[in-house]
Amino acid sequence: MPLHVPPAPAPALRSVLAALGSPTAVTEARTPALRSLQGPLTPELTLPVHVLDQITGGARPPRTRLTGWWFLIRNGDRAVAAANTVLTPDGWTFSHFCEGPYLSSTERALRQAEGMAAAYQPRLLSIPALYMMTLWLHGDPTADASTGAPAPSDVLVPLAPAPPGIAPHHPCKVSDLLPVLTLRLNPVPSAPLLGQLA
């Protein structure tokens, strides 16, 4: 099933194009691939980046907030970097270029998602408290990409590297993965040993 990729805000795309056209931005980027490549660099795929700040468990649904837009940068048919934008008081603006394991992991997760039976809207979900990134497959492909929280039936695909005990690239429903993440962030206190009670 094809993914319904939401369009990025026009100012975010313009800021990335301006950064790609700026020799200073490219040569000062901490991305060796960008500095060494010849030929055109083009932003092709855009994903909204949401952050999950608190996972409390219980009946309250998780809350997310949109923090940026992520652009996959290609050189020919090869992904070489990503560009991130952030929202400032003046609107969407370029933040930085990056590369590393999440780049190829995101591409792999997107290929997995394209093979699924249901239609989804892809997003990135960052869980800073666990140093974790996931591909969030939102079940409403026509939803406003800047809002919303993970629904129990939405799918999360942990990206590599994932925290210990969480399998990267193993799609999980939010209703299955959220309790695991909740336990990681809010461990149940262990019972005191009998000898410690005296």
Side-chain angles (χ1 to χ4, degrees), residues 11 86-93:
V86 294
L87 188 59
T88 68
D90 295 325
W92 289 103
T93 186

Side-chain angles (χ1 to χ4, degrees), residues 143-172:
D144 179 352
S146 65
T147 62
S153 60
D154 286 356
V155 175
L156 297 177
V157 183
L159 301 181
I166 296 176
H169 297 287
H170 181 75
C172 298

Side-chain angles (χ1 to χ4, degrees), residues 81-149:
N84 289 283
T85 63
V86 294
L87 188 59
T88 68
D90 295 325
W92 289 103
T93 186
F94 170 76
S95 172
H96 62 280
F97 292 114
C98 61
E99 55 186 58
Y102 285 138
L103 185 64
S104 58
S105 187
T106 301
E107 279 197 297
R108 178 179 169 187
L110 286 165
R111 285 193 301 272
Q112 282 180 273
E114 286 171 350
M116 294 180 178
Y120 292 105
Q121 181 188 85
R123 304 172 176 192
L124 289 175
L125 181 64
S126 171
I127 307 167
L130 292 174
Y131 303 98
M132 181 177 179
M133 285 287 291
T134 71
L135 178 65
W136 169 15
L137 300 173
H138 191 47
D140 181 358
T142 62
D144 179 352
S146 65
T147 62

Side-chain angles (χ1 to χ4, degrees), residues 24 26 64 77 148 167 170:
T24 305
V26 171
T64 65
D77 62 352
H170 181 75

